[in-house]
Amino acid sequence: MRILLHRADGVTEPWLRGFAAALPQADVIVWQEGAAIAACDYAVTWAPPAAMLEHLAHVKAIFVTGAGVDGIMKFADQLPQVPIIRLGDAGMAAQMAEYVAYAVLRYFRRFDEYEAQARRGIWQPLPQFEKADFSIGVMGAGVLGRRVLAALAAFDFPLRGWSRSAKQIDGVQCFHGADGLDDFLRGTRVLVCMLPLTPDTANLLERRRLSLLPQGAYLINVGRGAHVAETDLLALVRKGHIAGATLDVFRSEPLPAPHPFWDEPRISLTPHVAALTLPDVSAAQIAEKIVALERGEAVADLVDRHAGY
Ligand code: NAP
Ligand code: GLV
């Protein structure tokens, strides 16, 4: 069996080790532009370059080394009609829970303001926020969103979730669909975007919708940069309608310099690290799915081509 591996970062060693351990019978070929590559059974990639597409034409399935599949679905029309399979958790859910819980608690306990005060030598306790006024709304109640909601439930925050299909989640007020979005936003003090990027979700968080959040709201975006209209967010932060934003993802990555986000003290940013792909866990998960496919069994985490995630 031949597996074609593409890593944009060039770091292939942990993947080769992972596949050698989990699928020793496989021959793993590292994709390189211009190299002659014999037909492979499976491909493993996150965001393939256009030059790789011809080598995907005859594979039996394409494995995406992330939870989000926008990097490959932009080529949807050029991909063969084979299963496209993403990672399901693979160690990312716990990382997301850490990242979002940290950001929420930083705002709720006003650590962001204490950090600013400390830099100015100010010793001044601030009034505590009321938990009842600090509802957290998670957009995307999928594998990662549900884990984040479960983690936040431990702190007794009022929780809300928004998804495409209707859901019932214990302790979470659930909203769904375009019709449920405005109500979801109106009652959300901390908005956490954990959506996949699809034609339906691109640019969702623009001025009108962000303005539905209550005065003094916060935004945590760990979905994709293209969910948010950056100039609208900046304007609402500068106006004080949005009190702070923690952003892990951006329209253009790395975030270019200059960019006004770098200099806005109420915007905290990280370089797309909220939940990293763990090569060992991920290679083992992909290997398990390959074994299942070879046996003719169904596998989880199939991408719905129509929905785009
Ligand atoms: P998932 O299990 O597929 O969950 C996606 C959720 O979004 C589902 O609840 C889905 O609704 C909802 N959704 C999709 N389209 C929607 C729409 N048009 N309207 C309302 N809700 C919609 O995905 P996941 O594994 O949780 O990952 C979520 C995203 O996190 C990824 O796609 C990626 O963009 C992002 N991510 C970021 C990082 C990072 O480091 N920053 C790391 C990993 C993932 P249904 O439940 O009804 O299907
Ligand atoms: C990372 O952003 C992922 O989608 O896994």
Side-chain angles (χ1 to χ4, degrees):
M1 174 196 305
R2 292 163 63 86
I3 298 176
L4 183 61
L5 171 70
H6 165 250
R7 291 298 305 164
D9 60 7
V11 181
T12 54
E13 188 49 38
W15 289 90
L16 296 174
R17 258 201 324 268
F19 282 120
L23 208 57
Q25 69 274 34
D27 197 6
V28 182
I29 293 106
V30 176
W31 185 84
Q32 281 178 318
E33 184 154 11
I37 293 168
C40 287
D41 301 286
Y42 296 98
V44 177
T45 179
W46 190 53
M52 188 184 176
L53 296 180
E54 62 176 296
H55 298 118
L56 301 181
H58 303 294
V59 296
K60 294 190 247 180
I62 300 170
F63 289 90
V64 179
T65 55
V69 295
D70 45 297
I72 189 160
M73 292 311 283
K74 67 181 180 209
F75 294 122
D77 295 347
Q78 298 167 66
L79 298 174
Q81 291 300 317
V82 296
I84 301 172
I85 303 158
R86 70 188 189 97
L87 292 178
D89 186 345
M92 285 186 279
Q95 296 177 68
M96 272 300 186
E98 293 159 6
Y99 187 102
V100 175
Y102 169 81
V104 166
L105 294 175
R106 180 165 174 263
Y107 291 135
F108 177 64
R109 295 300 306 270
R110 308 186 76 158
F111 292 137
D112 55 331
E113 294 169 83
Y114 287 123
E115 283 160 19
Q117 284 193 172
R119 277 194 295 273
R120 288 159 47 223
I122 297 171
W123 177 280
Q124 177 61 59
L126 300 167
Q128 283 270 45
F129 288 133
E130 292 290 332
K131 211 160 250 180
D133 298 336
F134 231 78
S135 56
I136 299 163
V138 175
M139 304 181 89
V143 173
L144 304 182
R146 287 176 86 123
R147 177 65 172 263
V148 163
L149 285 162
L152 292 170
F155 298 106
D156 299 333
F157 288 107
L159 298 176
R160 302 155 80 81
W162 184 69
S163 50
R164 198 160 65 101
S165 54
K167 301 226 177 315
Q168 281 197 323
I169 308 173
D170 274 356
V172 179
Q173 192 178 356
C174 293
F175 299 78
H176 70 278
D179 292 348
L181 182 54
D182 286 6
D183 284 344
F184 165 80
L185 293 171
R186 280 193 195 97
T188 289
R189 177 77 178 273
V190 184
L191 181 64
V192 184
C193 176
M194 310 193 60
L195 290 168
L197 182 62
T198 69
D200 288 341
T201 65
N203 304 308
L204 203 60
L205 296 175
E206 43 61 273
R207 182 182 293 264
R208 187 193 74 80
R209 294 199 186 91
L210 288 172
S211 301
L212 293 175
L213 298 170
Q215 175 76 26
Y218 298 89
L219 172 69
I220 299 166
N221 186 17
V222 290
R224 288 289 185 261
H227 288 130
V228 177
E230 293 185 341
T231 47
D232 293 353
L233 171 63
L234 197 63
L236 289 164
V237 167
R238 288 183 172 155
K239 225 172 89 179
H241 186 82
I242 293 191
T246 297
L247 308 176
D248 184 54
V249 285
F250 303 89
R251 286 185 172 258
S252 176
E253 295 181 6
L255 184 67
H259 188 290
F261 284 174
W262 290 111
D263 299 320
E264 172 48 61
R266 284 160 294 191
I267 293 181
S268 303
L269 54 89
T270 47
H272 200 145
V273 292
L276 298 170
T277 294
L278 306 176
D280 47 352
V281 186
S282 307
Q285 185 181 108
I286 292 169
E288 250 180 55
K289 289 171 175 167
I290 288 178
V291 170
L293 288 176
E294 289 289 313
R295 287 195 193 124
E297 293 166 8
V299 296
D301 312 308
L302 276 180
V303 174
D304 173 340
R305 282 175 183 251
H306 182 66
Y309 67 98

